[in-house]
Amino acid sequence: MKKRALTVLLVIVLTVAAVFTGCGDKSTSGEGDQAKKDLPTIGIVQIVEHPSLDTIRENITAQLEEEGFVDGKTVTIDYKNAQGDTNNLKTICQSFTANNVDLIIAIATPSAQAALGETTDIPIVFSAVTDPIAAELVDSLEKPGGNITGTSDAVSATKILDLALQITPDIKKIGAIYSTGEINSVSVIKELKEYAKTKGIEVVEATIMNSSEIQQAAQSLVGKVDAVFSPIDNTVASSMPTIVDVLNKAKLPYYVAADSMVADGGLATDGVNYEALGKATGTMAADVLKGADTATMPVQIMSDTQVYINKKTAKEIGIKIPTNIVKKATDLSEKQK
Ligand code: TRP
């Protein structure tokens, strides 16, 4: 891995030198193309398109640019989206290893698991993995130990349930819509159940395997619970309008785990800033390209959280959010499409 990093560094130095010595005139000489071919390559893999993951990716590439890694100039970025399908994830990661990319950036847990499944040699920097240990990506957060490290958006179900109880204190039963196949969700639900128990609240599960089951899952909770919760679940986040439609009609408060899910109609969350998380991932990726060793680079946990609310949803379901919360919260209803 060290050798690979050195090669990357050498290529960058040579490319920059070539640009400065005037070889950059691509219109008249073929040398520009040659240099392009030799640029270090980053493969970016994303499980699905949803606003939060898109924000993360945009901030990763912006930060890479800040660090001198500009797509098409000093680096080649090959971005691929799996459209929510884990089979696609495998194919994408196989193509990255076949092309021997210099670095894989994996956005969200399923992408990181797929990438590590294909290579224990090419360095991988993951982004927004809720629980990197439960996902079996690293041995420890301080010393990942292998070819993979990255950033984590470890959310707190405890904090979110506390917020829920301040907004709607009469919760006796809370629904939980999440994917059983996403370990990032499963680990947050585990925490929710433990904390709910201490508050005498029953958790009613509505689990899904894929997005086609979402409408039914939401519908199954109507009439049975006083509020609904979803963790940072990629399948849920990519189908928010369907859930919000059912729950708003039933006047059920929907507590979520990410700002984008509030912007997509969820009532409230206490969550991390994904722009900052994307930037932090970009810096780590740049460090690895410059030769840092993933094995000894600690996982960065974005522990600063903020309260986000959606006033439009609150109005629609007839809920008054207490003034002390409104004061400290960011209202995302303006961002709602
Ligand atoms: N934390 C998620 C994971 O580990 C990825 C993620 C980031 C996400 N932001 C989100 C999921 C917003 C849902 C909503 O896979």
Side-chain angles (χ1 to χ4, degrees), residues 50 52-53 56 108-110 128-130 153 184 232-234 237 258 260-261 274:
H50 66 67
S52 192
L53 299 189
I56 294 169
T109 304
V129 168
T130 302
D153 56 349
N184 40 296
I232 21 180
D233 187 296
N234 293 291
S260 71
M261 297 165 94
Y274 285 97

Side-chain angles (χ1 to χ4, degrees), residues 62-75:
Q63 186 61 26
L64 278 169
E65 282 199 16
E66 287 275 307
E67 310 260 356
F69 296 96
V70 182
D71 187 23
K73 289 210 174 93
T74 51
V75 73

